[in-house]
Amino acid sequence: MGAILKRHLLILTPICVLGLSALSQTPQSVQRPVSSEVILRIIVVSTADEAQRVAERLARGENFVTLAREVSIDTTAVRGGLIGKVSLSALRPDLRNVLEHLPVGQLSPIVQIPTGFAVLKIVPDDAESLTAASDAVNAAVAASGSVKNIFALDGFMDSYFSLDKYSKPTDWNSDPRKICTTRTAALAAAQESLERDLYGNKVRSSQSPGDEALNHLSLSLLHVYPGRMDAAIQELQRARQIAEKSVVSMVKPLDEALGIAYLHKAQMDNDLFRNPGDRDLLTANGYQPLRKTGDLRKAVEYFQKYLAEEPDALDVKWLLNLAHMMLGEYPNKVPAAYLVPPTVFASAEEVGRFVDVAQEVGLNWFGSAGGMIVDDFDNDGLFDVVTSSMASCAPMNYFHHNANGTFTEQSAKAGLGDQMGGLNMVQSDYNNDGCTDILVLRGGWEQPQRSSLLRNNCNETFTDVTVASGLAQPTSTQAAVWTDIDNDGFVDLFVGNENSPSQLFLNKGNGTFENIAAAAGVNRTGISKGVTAADYDNDGWPELYVSNRSGPNFFYRNNGNRTFTEIALAAGVLGNQSGFATWFFDYNNDGWADLFLTSFLLSVDETMRTYLGLPHNGPTLKLYKNLGDGSFQDVTRKVGLDKVFMPMGSNFGDFDNDGFLDIYLGTGTPSYAALAPNVLLRNKGGESFVDVTASSGTGELHKGHGVAFADLDNDGNDEIVTEIGGASTGDAHAMRVFRNPGNGNDWINLKMAGTKTSRSGFGARIKITVENGSNGTRVIQRTVGSGGSFGASPLQQHIGLGKAARILEVEVWWPTSKTRQRFTNVEKNQSIEINETGTSYKQLTRPTTNLGRTR
């Protein structure tokens, strides 16, 4: 259990030095005087264990430069880890303390920084280039980069380590059922081992108080993972009792942990996760109190103990406010020094109140973090809903949409009963048979696992064709995008993996795929969390973009011959060094694909800084405006997106039918403490984005994952459908279906039918010229795809037209045939189908359903 103990040292000291002094000594060490400037090299890796292995290799005499190029995930890897000359005063305080007396040529201890775990080395002036420090590294080591992470009370990494250390069959990750049984056994073995260490007299007597306290914490987190909160709290209390006597530095973080544990237990005991109603939606006017309050009182007690020692901790302040909300005492009974005022959440605009109707219509999914697709899988004119969960033993759910507006779960009938696990899903008609297929992605944040390609048989059943198609190689991924890279009419598949090369699977048109990533030049390695595709330069060939959890992002320009050139630096889209979801969309309707990126920080503190208007220490969201000349301009601050929200699941769509694409962000981290509102951002005319979460009623406080915009009831207004739930099985939650109240704006829905281009019309560009009464004529632009990179909207394109709209022309450009079609006299507020070779469009009859109109 050594890896788990090291991990909890990090929990208890969020930014701490881990290295052993023996590993810091090298024969080349030269004592130096304290200097205001130093020349640094750095190696950054993803985990503490990896960093220790790096330190051991360096201690054995391996070359720092060579090793940096081999293993570092930092942008400086190509320069052998060279940061360049930096001022000590500009560094993070913890790094400054490590480096200010470190001799030249000697290795630093292992240090945790926001992008991973680092080993640094000060090098002499006469032996290294004085290359200027890179902005990417400065973001990680600079004083302004001191991000405060939330306490990781979730057990997710403990589950990861237990599976990593468990003796597994060689083919354990080749089948969803084997993955389930192996994880179950690994968790049981880890718990048994810790209980033996703690409660076996012989072992226990040999433990130091610190190790014993950490073991209690580890066992607590193994109980936290499945939600056994009584047992978890009992172990946390034992850890605190030991710490109070022997390891005083552990007391404060354990107080925070106990506050979080009691808060989570209170929500479970009040059935808040299964039947949330309006009880966990953000409101600027208070919060519906919970009935059972004993554990909430204990949570308040522990949060106040923590704040007595660290009164400026914004994350714990927020949790204290949240506990008072659940008690019905917010804001009046929150101590003035700790109050987060209701005004900081108020919306500047009223957009109508959305109402959650998930349970009323039969979408009663309850589970952990996962993916979601909304699309018409049986071609009956109604959108169905498919969900997955990263919990290895949790089955997929296939909700068929009935004609009366309700949904029926029929996974077994659809042949999906054996499909378990899967953090994300993406859909396409990969074989052009007119029926939409599903790809389930597994292994994200975890050990490599096999994905599943599920072929739609066009009879309301699916067949797993993963092995036959050539997609069965286990990887760690949650990020994939379908796009036709060579315009042959068959969609190809690009997969971004974690710590292994990206894959580009060429669709051979016969049901099989071939990985051509190396030959195509797109097989770079990163901790890839999001991928997207678009023809950014309008030359007819789609590009690929990769968002990485740390280090620079990758942007591959399509050369038109099944090869790509990496141009992220030249195009100005290296990203924010903390990437997650990403997508291309034309936010200002100028005909050029713009690029949106989320930043993912494990920090409630940074999110509170957004609401309180305080300076950020970490990277914000990013919006890059396509300038049409091959480059992008960072307009994040200009449009009001310089914010931190911890987004996970996220997507875009036009919820108010004004013709401009809006954004919905599902927020959170694995920690049970990462409670912050999901966010609805309204696009104001392609000029700015405004937060309308509170006024819309869409601010679910729990973890947001798969997100889709879809008109479920065919009334012309997109609902917001979102899967809610954390990474741990004890953080499961009911999904939300926020029914759109409507606002009278006009719309049109387009179903594409490719003949030479792929059947679903991937990459087809739509241009609608519309007249809005006295406001004149304007153009609305869309590209066919499924939306954001965590959750999938229908491939059919729902396009808002604004008020008093008259469609002057609908223009469609098809990428394979290069056909350009123009249609006039198209009526608004209807669904139509456009065939690639047709001279006219086909009007579609769509049933309008009730969708829980009793509320």
Side-chain angles (χ1 to χ4, degrees), residues 45 85 100 198 213 370 380 467 676 702 813 815 840:
V45 290
K85 183 175 288 187
E100 62 183 356
L198 281 168
D380 66 352
V467 175
H702 288 96
W813 179 85
S840 61

PDB file of all heavy atoms in Angstrom, residues 45 85 100 198 213 370 380 467 676 702 813 815 840:
ATOM      1  N   VAL A  45       6.307  14.789 -14.582  1.00  0.00           N
ATOM      2  CA  VAL A  45       5.567  13.568 -14.894  1.00  0.00           C
ATOM      3  C   VAL A  45       4.226  13.618 -14.172  1.00  0.00           C
ATOM      4  O   VAL A  45       3.974  14.506 -13.356  1.00  0.00           O
ATOM      5  CB  VAL A  45       6.364  12.300 -14.513  1.00  0.00           C
ATOM      6  CG1 VAL A  45       7.565  12.116 -15.428  1.00  0.00           C
ATOM      7  CG2 VAL A  45       6.802  12.352 -13.056  1.00  0.00           C
ATOM      8  N   LYS A  85      16.686  31.104 -17.628  1.00  0.00           N
ATOM      9  CA  LYS A  85      16.979  31.927 -16.453  1.00  0.00           C
ATOM     10  C   LYS A  85      15.689  32.486 -15.872  1.00  0.00           C
ATOM     11  O   LYS A  85      14.875  33.082 -16.576  1.00  0.00           O
ATOM     12  CB  LYS A  85      17.927  33.069 -16.810  1.00  0.00           C
ATOM     13  CG  LYS A  85      18.328  33.922 -15.614  1.00  0.00           C
ATOM     14  CD  LYS A  85      19.364  34.974 -15.993  1.00  0.00           C
ATOM     15  CE  LYS A  85      20.719  34.320 -16.245  1.00  0.00           C
ATOM     16  NZ  LYS A  85      21.777  35.346 -16.455  1.00  0.00           N
ATOM     17  N   GLU A 100      16.304  28.020  -3.246  1.00  0.00           N
ATOM     18  CA  GLU A 100      17.156  29.152  -2.907  1.00  0.00           C
ATOM     19  C   GLU A 100      18.480  28.735  -2.268  1.00  0.00           C
ATOM     20  O   GLU A 100      19.447  29.498  -2.312  1.00  0.00           O
ATOM     21  CB  GLU A 100      16.405  30.133  -1.995  1.00  0.00           C
ATOM     22  CG  GLU A 100      15.969  29.591  -0.663  1.00  0.00           C
ATOM     23  CD  GLU A 100      15.183  30.648   0.113  1.00  0.00           C
ATOM     24  OE1 GLU A 100      15.078  31.789  -0.380  1.00  0.00           O
ATOM     25  OE2 GLU A 100      14.671  30.320   1.200  1.00  0.00           O
ATOM     26  N   LEU A 198      -4.019  -2.588   9.976  1.00  0.00           N
ATOM     27  CA  LEU A 198      -4.477  -1.741  11.068  1.00  0.00           C
ATOM     28  C   LEU A 198      -4.926  -2.526  12.292  1.00  0.00           C
ATOM     29  O   LEU A 198      -4.741  -2.085  13.429  1.00  0.00           O
ATOM     30  CB  LEU A 198      -5.635  -0.864  10.583  1.00  0.00           C
ATOM     31  CG  LEU A 198      -5.234   0.364   9.760  1.00  0.00           C
ATOM     32  CD1 LEU A 198      -6.448   0.987   9.094  1.00  0.00           C
ATOM     33  CD2 LEU A 198      -4.539   1.398  10.645  1.00  0.00           C
ATOM     34  N   ALA A 213      -1.938   6.644  11.129  1.00  0.00           N
ATOM     35  CA  ALA A 213      -2.971   7.625  10.777  1.00  0.00           C
ATOM     36  C   ALA A 213      -3.254   7.601   9.275  1.00  0.00           C
ATOM     37  O   ALA A 213      -4.414   7.649   8.840  1.00  0.00           O
ATOM     38  CB  ALA A 213      -2.542   9.025  11.220  1.00  0.00           C
ATOM     39  N   GLY A 370     -20.181   9.546 -16.421  1.00  0.00           N
ATOM     40  CA  GLY A 370     -20.248   8.769 -17.648  1.00  0.00           C
ATOM     41  C   GLY A 370     -20.613   9.609 -18.842  1.00  0.00           C
ATOM     42  O   GLY A 370     -20.675  10.835 -18.782  1.00  0.00           O
ATOM     43  N   ASP A 380     -37.500   6.982 -35.866  1.00  0.00           N
ATOM     44  CA  ASP A 380     -38.940   7.186 -35.749  1.00  0.00           C
ATOM     45  C   ASP A 380     -39.304   8.649 -35.550  1.00  0.00           C
ATOM     46  O   ASP A 380     -40.466   8.973 -35.292  1.00  0.00           O
ATOM     47  CB  ASP A 380     -39.507   6.334 -34.620  1.00  0.00           C
ATOM     48  CG  ASP A 380     -38.998   6.750 -33.239  1.00  0.00           C
ATOM     49  OD1 ASP A 380     -38.079   7.597 -33.161  1.00  0.00           O
ATOM     50  OD2 ASP A 380     -39.496   6.218 -32.227  1.00  0.00           O
ATOM     51  N   VAL A 467     -14.013  -6.266 -31.923  1.00  0.00           N
ATOM     52  CA  VAL A 467     -12.899  -7.119 -32.338  1.00  0.00           C
ATOM     53  C   VAL A 467     -12.844  -7.219 -33.859  1.00  0.00           C
ATOM     54  O   VAL A 467     -11.789  -7.035 -34.484  1.00  0.00           O
ATOM     55  CB  VAL A 467     -13.016  -8.513 -31.693  1.00  0.00           C
ATOM     56  CG1 VAL A 467     -11.924  -9.429 -32.229  1.00  0.00           C
ATOM     57  CG2 VAL A 467     -12.924  -8.404 -30.175  1.00  0.00           C
ATOM     58  N   ALA A 676     -20.106  22.678  -7.007  1.00  0.00           N
ATOM     59  CA  ALA A 676     -20.208  24.019  -7.571  1.00  0.00           C
ATOM     60  C   ALA A 676     -21.239  23.976  -8.686  1.00  0.00           C
ATOM     61  O   ALA A 676     -21.422  22.938  -9.330  1.00  0.00           O
ATOM     62  CB  ALA A 676     -18.849  24.483  -8.106  1.00  0.00           C
ATOM     63  N   HIS A 702     -24.204  19.288  -8.187  1.00  0.00           N
ATOM     64  CA  HIS A 702     -23.392  18.082  -8.199  1.00  0.00           C
ATOM     65  C   HIS A 702     -22.700  17.904  -9.545  1.00  0.00           C
ATOM     66  O   HIS A 702     -22.851  18.709 -10.447  1.00  0.00           O
ATOM     67  CB  HIS A 702     -24.242  16.877  -7.810  1.00  0.00           C
ATOM     68  CG  HIS A 702     -24.603  16.880  -6.359  1.00  0.00           C
ATOM     69  ND1 HIS A 702     -25.803  17.370  -5.895  1.00  0.00           N
ATOM     70  CD2 HIS A 702     -23.902  16.512  -5.270  1.00  0.00           C
ATOM     71  CE1 HIS A 702     -25.830  17.285  -4.576  1.00  0.00           C
ATOM     72  NE2 HIS A 702     -24.691  16.769  -4.162  1.00  0.00           N
ATOM     73  N   TRP A 813     -23.137  22.987 -48.209  1.00  0.00           N
ATOM     74  CA  TRP A 813     -21.926  22.566 -48.922  1.00  0.00           C
ATOM     75  C   TRP A 813     -21.505  21.206 -48.401  1.00  0.00           C
ATOM     76  O   TRP A 813     -21.353  21.002 -47.198  1.00  0.00           O
ATOM     77  CB  TRP A 813     -20.802  23.590 -48.711  1.00  0.00           C
ATOM     78  CG  TRP A 813     -19.520  23.211 -49.406  1.00  0.00           C
ATOM     79  CD1 TRP A 813     -19.182  23.466 -50.699  1.00  0.00           C
ATOM     80  CD2 TRP A 813     -18.412  22.514 -48.833  1.00  0.00           C
ATOM     81  NE1 TRP A 813     -17.938  22.970 -50.980  1.00  0.00           N
ATOM     82  CE2 TRP A 813     -17.438  22.378 -49.851  1.00  0.00           C
ATOM     83  CE3 TRP A 813     -18.148  21.981 -47.571  1.00  0.00           C
ATOM     84  CZ2 TRP A 813     -16.221  21.733 -49.632  1.00  0.00           C
ATOM     85  CZ3 TRP A 813     -16.942  21.334 -47.349  1.00  0.00           C
ATOM     86  CH2 TRP A 813     -15.996  21.226 -48.376  1.00  0.00           C
ATOM     87  N   PRO A 815     -18.761  18.102 -48.239  1.00  0.00           N
ATOM     88  CA  PRO A 815     -17.305  18.034 -48.375  1.00  0.00           C
ATOM     89  C   PRO A 815     -16.787  17.009 -49.376  1.00  0.00           C
ATOM     90  O   PRO A 815     -15.740  17.228 -49.994  1.00  0.00           O
ATOM     91  CB  PRO A 815     -16.827  17.701 -46.956  1.00  0.00           C
ATOM     92  CG  PRO A 815     -18.011  17.109 -46.274  1.00  0.00           C
ATOM     93  CD  PRO A 815     -19.215  17.740 -46.874  1.00  0.00           C
ATOM     94  N   SER A 840     -34.489  19.317 -54.264  1.00  0.00           N
ATOM     95  CA  SER A 840     -35.444  19.909 -53.339  1.00  0.00           C
ATOM     96  C   SER A 840     -35.310  19.195 -52.004  1.00  0.00           C
ATOM     97  O   SER A 840     -34.716  18.120 -51.914  1.00  0.00           O
ATOM     98  CB  SER A 840     -36.872  19.768 -53.870  1.00  0.00           C
ATOM     99  OG  SER A 840     -37.217  18.401 -54.013  1.00  0.00           O
TER     100      SER A 840
END
